[in-house]
Amino acid sequence: MNYLNELNPSQRAAVEYNDGPQLVIAGAGSGKTRVLTYKIAYLLEHGVNAGNILALTFTNKAAREMKSRIANLVGESVARYLWMGTFHSICSKILRQEAEAIGYTKDFTIYDTTDSKSVIKHIVKDMQLDEKQYKPNVVLSRISLAKNRLQSPTAYSSNREFTMQDRFERIPEVSRIYMEYNRRLKACNAMDFDDLLFHTNTLFKKNEAILRKYQDIFQYLLVDEYQDTNYSQYLIVKRLAEPHNRICVVGDDAQSIYSFRGANIENILTFQKGYADAQLFKLERNYRSTQTIVNAANSLIRHNRGQIPKSVYSELALGDKLVLSTYMSDRDEATAVAGQIKLIARQGTDYNDIAVLYRTNAQSRVIEDELRRLSIPYRIYGGMSFYQRKEIKDAIAYFRLAINPHDNEAFARVINYPLRGIGETTVMKIREASRHAACSMMEVVNDPVATKLDVSAATQKKLTTFAEMIAGFAAVADNLDAYEFADRVLRESGVMRDAKADTSQEGVARLENLQEMLSGIHEFVEQRMREDIAFTPMTDFLSEVSLLTDQDENQEDTQSRVTLLTVHSAKGLEFKTTFIVGLEENLFPSQFCQSPKDIEEERRLLYVAITRSMERCYLTNARQRFRNGQTQFSSPSRFIKDIDTCYIQQMQSMQAPLHADRSFVKPTTKSSTPSSSVTEGNSKLVSISRKAGTSTTKTRKEVRSEWKKNDRVNHKVFGDGLVLDVYRENDNDKIYIQFDAVGKKTLLLTYAKLTRI
């Protein structure tokens, strides 16, 4: 029990209470992982069976780390029996056991985003819809939103909110696509990520005996990052906890930033209403950041109305103020940031301890340019993962097809890899025959007469040879462990031979990646053996790989590098020094914010960004930024005014320095900071206020133009829209437009390049 002495009073109280539902509000850096870990260890030491504890996390990495910590406390022989993992991995495990109850087999395939987009692309083509309008990523996001709200295709088509939005976005056929998408997945014995949650809910709703079975198994439920749960996840947890209500949810409403993925902050805000006798615990001591950083973040988030009140504090050093700098352009901003990073590194800070955070991925380009110019090593966090590389996806497609011959996406990926003389025209014929016969592509190949496949005898012979090879792999799948199976498939399919034949630098890299994958599968099997799992089939490995999350995909990098990442990707990370760039209106907060609720989430996003900082935090913005093919003028983010000025150090310089190491000039020591004039555009002088979040008084006048209010126009980037206003402001002629697809935007008339509809 000595580990309890490592907890502060609030943490210990949360760990020791296990008599009913509890909500643990864990402020940034407050040690919530330690609380969850010790709570599970506490339950185990008090006689709860490990197999009766379900701990749900949002990344496999988090689950592994927690399980490792618990094993250090209570021993691996006990910890191995815990049900611990992401919602998707636990649901996948349940569905593999109960698949027949919902019309699947236990060997169902889990489609990743690439697979799903491919299915949608073919549906759009088959339905003869406009492929430019019905973009796979847009349609998939609509379907994902529906599934996370437990809306079936039938329910979707009758849901006014969904159908009205589809019509507004000019994609009215999404409901039909959704219906066909689900049909094709079912025909392929496949599920997408959202199906894992959707079908688990269906399973529990329609099969009381199965629900009771898992309610009896899971006597204690613990949920991490509860503020990020969607409706589907909320309902799974609620159903499992109903008999006993021994549930502990941990999270921070101030860090709820994933509504675009379906997360619903109301789940955590209303938890105590849903569980009448729930106890509330608050972890308010921040162990990560200096007092000034914590206080600045508190002053920001205080402006949100929808939150659970708490007083986060730090007992670390007071620390430096946040440094705010404004530059004339995004290029100047990037030059300054790169220069300051170089200076900080020379002063002894490791590159690994420095991060640049931005609102959108597109902002990284100009920053990367400047980092390369100064020879500063960097990594893009969330870049292409190992398992997204082509040669790895090709190999895994072979494994998938052997396990599940109805997997059309896997079939299409490997039918002509390595090259075996089966062209795209043949693949299209097979796909079309599959659609008309309502069967899988492999079934078409196996019975070309019944499915009316129109190919030559020579081509059919090649197809039959391929099908027989896959059938041979399938026949041994149950007798070989994952490593033995993978090794055999890669050798006999010709994949390894093809990789070895390519002696180019790229070919050598592909071969090394395939060998690395085999090593990974071997380690996976050995790890399972250490956990007393005697046999590990390929299906277990495929489940592991298919359920990797964004954070799991980032491999360890031994070289010291600056980290570049979006704020959304930064959740859960920490750095000694952070640069938060692009703090401008219509960028941060995003231009897509439509409501006060959206603005509150954007404010939470900045709160997350600031609280990644341990020692130093730099805030920057630019007066003009090149976006969407043109230079746009910007005003400072409204959020800058939300941060108490006593925690901000204002910089004087408004333009990039000539020397990189002097990028952030010494701040003024005066109590007030005057305005100064800077050059903008063609030597026009504009007065810019020095006070954070303010600008000069704008003079607004009517302007003579070919465009009038209510004109319908088209912009080559933003599409069609309706003119709301045309006016002159501070010597700039502007036009204000409500675009159908992207909302309201203000453009400079000189550069707008509009055409009349």
Side-chain angles (χ1 to χ4, degrees):
M1 298 292 289
N2 290 337
Y3 61 83
L4 292 178
N5 295 329
E6 300 175 18
L7 303 172
N8 66 38
S10 298
Q11 292 173 330
R12 182 160 183 163
V15 166
E16 292 181 330
Y17 180 80
N18 293 293
D19 296 329
Q22 68 180 124
L23 170 62
V24 180
I25 295 298
S30 63
K32 71 177 178 62
T33 302
R34 171 173 287 191
V35 167
L36 278 169
T37 301
Y38 286 11
K39 189 174 191 67
I40 293 171
Y42 186 84
L43 288 170
L44 293 171
E45 287 200 346
H46 283 73
V48 179
N49 190 303
N52 294 133
I53 298 174
L54 171 61
L56 294 163
T57 64
F58 270 78
T59 68
N60 292 304
K61 179 181 177 182
R64 286 194 298 268
E65 289 178 355
M66 284 177 58
K67 205 166 189 176
S68 176
R69 292 191 195 185
I70 293 166
N72 290 333
L73 294 172
V74 300
E76 188 171 336
S77 60
V78 175
R80 71 173 59 139
Y81 296 107
L82 291 166
W83 284 71
M84 181 176 289
T86 64
F87 274 91
H88 293 88
S89 65
I90 295 297
C91 288
S92 172
K93 189 173 181 180
I94 292 172
L95 291 173
R96 295 249 180 236
Q97 295 293 322
E98 316 294 346
E100 291 183 3
I102 55 171
Y104 282 81
T105 71
K106 64 182 180 62
D107 296 327
F108 63 81
T109 298
I110 301 173
Y111 276 7
D112 64 14
T113 302
T114 302
D115 297 321
S116 295
K117 287 180 180 178
S118 177
V119 176
I120 290 171
K121 181 179 179 181
H122 286 106
I123 293 172
V124 169
K125 186 175 182 179
D126 292 341
M127 289 184 173
Q128 298 183 333
L129 299 172
D130 186 345
E131 296 178 33
K132 293 182 180 179
Q133 196 70 30
Y134 289 88
K135 296 178 180 178
N137 61 315
V138 174
V139 175
L140 183 59
S141 68
R142 298 291 294 159
I143 293 174
S144 177
L145 179 64
K147 288 186 176 182
N148 286 328
R149 294 185 184 179
L150 300 182
Q151 296 283 302
S152 67
T154 302
Y156 187 104
S157 63
S158 59
N159 185 304
R160 181 176 172 80
E161 176 190 350
F162 285 129
T163 54
M164 288 286 288
Q165 184 66 28
D166 290 345
R167 282 197 290 271
F168 177 75
E169 295 181 14
R170 298 191 174 186
I171 47 175
E173 300 297 329
V174 168
S175 60
R176 279 208 305 139
I177 297 173
Y178 182 14
M179 183 76 73
E180 178 62 12
Y181 172 74
N182 264 18
R183 189 197 68 76
R184 294 192 185 187
L185 258 62
K186 183 66 182 300
C188 293
N189 193 35
M191 300 183 193
D192 64 19
F193 281 5
D194 299 313
D195 282 332
L196 296 173
L197 305 180
F198 189 98
H199 289 318
T200 300
N201 270 299
T202 301
L203 179 72
F204 289 162
K205 182 178 180 181
K206 295 185 177 181
N207 297 272
E208 286 191 23
I210 292 177
L211 174 59
R212 284 197 300 271
K213 170 184 171 181
Y214 288 98
Q215 287 173 337
D216 290 341
I217 292 174
F218 304 134
Q219 292 295 307
Y220 286 85
L221 278 71
L222 298 94
V223 187
D224 191 15
E225 305 288 5
Y226 191 68
Q227 78 281 349
D228 293 331
T229 54
N230 58 37
Y231 178 66
S232 186
Q233 291 163 330
Y234 157 81
L235 208 54
I236 289 171
V237 170
K238 184 173 178 60
R239 281 176 169 150
L240 289 173
E242 275 174 352
H244 47 71
N245 278 346
R246 286 188 288 271
I247 176 174
C248 170
V249 302
V250 182
D252 183 6
D253 53 290
Q255 298 185 68
S256 179
I257 58 174
Y258 295 119
S259 66
F260 67 95
R261 294 180 182 171
N264 184 1
I265 191 175
E266 294 300 317
N267 290 347
I268 194 168
L269 294 180
T270 62
F271 180 83
Q272 290 174 280
K273 293 180 180 179
Y275 296 87
D277 56 343
Q279 298 295 307
L280 174 64
F281 298 82
K282 295 181 182 180
L283 309 182
E284 297 174 305
R285 180 178 175 183
N286 181 302
Y287 289 88
R288 174 189 300 151
S289 308
T290 64
Q291 294 181 39
T292 298
I293 290 173
V294 170
N295 291 339
N298 286 345
S299 69
L300 168 73
I301 203 64
R302 195 173 293 126
H303 292 270
N304 271 13
R305 298 182 65 182
Q307 61 176 301
I308 297 173
K310 57 183 173 296
S311 300
V312 180
Y313 66 96
S314 170
E315 294 184 359
L316 298 178
L318 182 63
D320 297 333
K321 293 183 178 182
L322 282 66
V323 178
L324 172 64
S325 300
T326 299
Y327 296 93
M328 274 310 304
S329 70
D330 51 346
R331 175 64 64 179
D332 291 341
E333 177 188 53
T335 300
V337 168
Q340 185 67 4
I341 288 174
K342 195 79 170 180
L343 178 62
I344 292 171
R346 286 179 179 174
Q347 293 173 344
T349 299
D350 193 281
Y351 282 135
N352 281 333
D353 294 324
I354 303 172
V356 181
L357 279 62
Y358 34 77
R359 181 62 181 82
T360 65
N361 279 306
Q363 292 171 254
S364 74
R365 182 193 59 80
V366 66
I367 296 169
E368 289 184 67
D369 288 348
E370 292 303 313
L371 292 177
R372 285 195 297 268
R373 187 177 64 81
L374 294 182
S375 300
I376 298 173
Y378 67 90
R379 67 171 66 84
I380 302 291
Y381 190 88
M384 179 181 288
S385 76
F386 179 80
Y387 288 102
Q388 290 298 315
R389 300 180 189 278
K390 180 186 181 302
E391 60 273 16
I392 302 303
K393 288 183 73 69
D394 289 340
I396 288 176
Y398 266 107
F399 306 155
R400 283 170 40 178
L401 189 60
I403 299 299
N404 174 18
H406 301 298
D407 188 339
N408 284 352
E409 294 307 310
F411 178 97
R413 190 173 188 97
V414 301
I415 182 63
N416 198 39
Y417 173 74
L419 295 175
R420 49 178 61 91
I422 300 172
E424 184 59 33
T425 300
T426 299
V427 176
M428 290 176 62
K429 288 181 178 180
I430 297 171
R431 193 182 291 276
E432 187 67 14
S434 165
R435 188 167 69 90
H436 284 296
C439 64
S440 69
M441 295 172 76
M442 184 65 82
E443 288 175 304
V444 171
V445 171
N446 285 328
D447 195 351
V449 176
T451 55
K452 300 178 181 179
L453 177 61
D454 181 21
V455 295
S456 68
T459 298
Q460 181 57 50
K461 184 177 179 180
K462 295 173 184 176
L463 294 173
T464 300
T465 300
F466 173 76
E468 289 174 347
M469 178 183 68
I470 297 299
F473 295 151
V476 299
D478 291 336
N479 301 320
L480 301 177
D481 69 29
Y483 173 73
E484 294 168 334
F485 181 77
D487 182 61
R488 180 165 178 167
V489 169
L490 294 185
R491 282 189 291 105
E492 295 185 6
S493 65
V495 169
M496 292 299 283
R497 183 172 60 252
D498 183 74
K500 290 176 181 177
D502 186 352
T503 57
S504 67
Q505 185 174 352
E506 293 80 7
V508 171
R510 283 195 292 271
L511 178 59
E512 290 175 346
N513 286 336
L514 288 168
Q515 292 170 334
E516 179 62 26
M517 182 188 67
L518 282 173
S519 297
I521 297 174
H522 189 264
E523 290 174 7
F524 178 73
V525 172
E526 287 195 330
Q527 175 61 34
R528 303 262 291 185
M529 290 179 67
R530 288 194 291 270
E531 296 175 0
D532 288 340
I533 300 173
F535 181 74
T536 300
M538 175 52 71
T539 50
D540 287 6
F541 177 75
L542 290 177
S543 291
E544 182 84 3
V545 171
S546 65
L547 294 169
L548 290 175
T549 64
D550 295 344
Q551 289 196 13
D552 296 319
E553 292 174 351
N554 288 277
Q555 305 296 314
E556 291 297 324
D557 187 347
T558 56
Q559 183 178 350
S560 179
R561 302 173 187 269
V562 174
T563 301
L564 273 58
L565 71 173
T566 64
V567 183
H568 281 103
S569 299
K571 183 85 170 0
L573 304 178
E574 59 184 34
F575 304 90
K576 288 184 179 179
T577 301
T578 63
F579 293 81
I580 306 171
V581 301
L583 280 172
E584 299 142 29
E585 284 296 299
N586 294 322
L587 182 57
F588 204 162
S590 167
Q591 61 186 331
F592 298 111
C593 288
Q594 300 291 327
S595 67
K597 187 176 180 180
D598 293 339
I599 292 295
E600 292 211 347
E601 175 153 342
E602 290 286 303
R603 188 178 284 113
R604 293 195 295 269
L605 193 58
L606 181 55
Y607 176 86
V608 167
I610 293 173
T611 54
R612 300 311 94 197
S613 312
M614 300 169 70
E615 297 175 0
R616 293 184 296 271
C617 181
Y618 296 90
L619 312 176
T620 69
N621 55 28
R623 286 295 180 184
Q624 58 187 40
R625 185 173 298 275
F626 192 80
R627 297 179 68 194
N628 303 314
Q630 65 179 15
T631 298
Q632 298 181 0
F633 295 97
S634 309
S635 56
S637 169
R638 70 189 73 184
F639 297 148
I640 293 175
K641 292 188 293 183
D642 291 342
I643 303 173
D644 195 313
T645 55
C646 69
Y647 304 124
I648 292 182
Q649 192 175 33
Q650 189 89 23
M651 308 311 290
Q652 282 186 322
S653 179
M654 291 293 294
Q655 54 191 356
L658 295 176
H659 303 290
D661 289 352
R662 298 176 61 191
S663 53
F664 284 74
V665 299
K666 185 177 180 181
T668 179
T669 56
K670 296 180 181 180
S671 58
S672 60
T673 49
S675 299
S676 65
S677 295
V678 294
T679 303
E680 175 178 282
N682 297 321
S683 301
K684 293 184 291 185
L685 295 180
V686 180
S687 178
I688 300 178
S689 171
R690 285 284 168 265
K691 190 173 181 180
T694 63
S695 60
T696 56
T697 302
K698 297 179 178 180
T699 56
R700 189 179 170 100
K701 301 177 181 178
E702 292 185 3
V703 60
R704 296 184 64 181
S705 167
E706 64 178 298
W707 307 113
K708 306 296 181 187
K709 184 176 180 180
N710 294 327
D711 281 349
R712 289 288 293 175
V713 297
N714 175 268
H715 186 274
K716 64 179 181 179
V717 175
F718 303 127
D720 297 343
L722 180 72
V723 175
L724 301 180
D725 198 5
V726 183
Y727 59 95
R728 172 167 293 182
E729 188 178 75
N730 292 346
D731 296 326
N732 289 314
D733 293 341
K734 300 181 179 182
I735 185 167
Y736 189 40
I737 304 172
Q738 170 75 57
F739 287 102
D740 298 344
V742 297
K744 297 176 182 177
K745 288 187 177 296
T746 301
L747 307 176
L748 294 178
L749 269 176
T750 306
Y751 304 104
K753 296 182 180 179
L754 302 169
T755 55
R756 192 179 302 278
I757 300 177

